Amino acid sequence: MFRKKKKKYAKKPKAIVQKITADATIPFYATEESAFMDLSTIEHVSMNKGEIRLIRTGLKVQCPPGYYIKIVSRSGLTTQGLVVANSPAIIDADYRGELFVIVRAFSPITISSGNRIAQMQFVKIDDVEIEEGIVSLDTERGICGIGSTGA
């Protein structure tokens, strides 16, 4: 019996990450099959319930061509009352400033420097060409908006 040959995958795209402070942590996958990389902070922050803060990462990132960065909450921190306020946060490929994470506290919480505060993922962009339409765009679903398919 012959073994099937393993598929060879195309070379992975590379992102360039620059530490702008010595204590910054390069994003990393927590496990081999993680979909998102963990993103850490360089700040020590105490937040009250309802507070929204911009949290520093100490990193600058250059996306691979054709990608953008998506930042979302970490489930472990969400259970403690901390979420990415504008989740999913989108970082365009041409942004070159420091990465910040906008967080909101739903209960009092303290975050220490080096703590993982969010998750990030590089997402491939499918460019779409926009064309002005002159034909009807109506469907059976209708145009009622939110809840238009029923409760």
Side-chain angles (χ1 to χ4, degrees), residues 15-135:
I16 297 171
V17 179
Q18 179 184 45
K19 289 183 176 186
I20 57 175
T21 63
D23 54 344
T25 302
I26 300 293
F28 61 94
Y29 292 105
T31 68
E32 191 173 306
E33 295 189 28
S34 294
F36 285 73
M37 297 177 188
D38 287 331
L39 192 57
S40 301
T41 182
I42 58 168
E43 296 184 280
H44 180 82
V45 177
S46 290
M47 295 178 64
N48 296 315
K49 180 179 180 179
E51 190 175 352
I52 296 174
R53 296 276 306 259
L54 205 60
I55 306 292
R56 295 184 63 202
T57 66
L59 301 171
K60 289 183 178 182
V61 178
Q62 179 181 334
C63 286
Y67 285 77
Y68 70 90
I69 297 171
K70 177 169 54 174
I71 298 176
V72 299
S73 302
R74 292 188 66 242
S75 56
L77 281 180
T78 300
T79 62
Q80 296 175 42
L82 189 75
V83 297
V84 174
N86 60 332
S87 186
I90 304 299
I91 310 296
D92 292 317
D94 57 353
Y95 175 71
R96 293 293 186 273
E98 180 176 0
L99 281 185
F100 290 89
V101 179
I102 303 168
V103 296
R104 181 173 184 180
F106 285 93
S107 60
I109 190 167
T110 298
I111 305 159
S112 298
S113 179
N115 283 164
R116 297 173 293 160
I117 57 165
Q119 300 178 92
M120 66 181 274
Q121 181 183 52
F122 291 92
V123 181
K124 187 150 182 60
I125 298 169
D126 289 324
D127 287 331
V128 174
E129 186 176 325
I130 300 294
E131 180 179 315
E132 185 175 358
I134 56 172
V135 297

Side-chain angles (χ1 to χ4, degrees), residues 141-149:
R141 180 177 180 159
I143 57 171
C144 298
I146 296 171
S148 64
T149 60

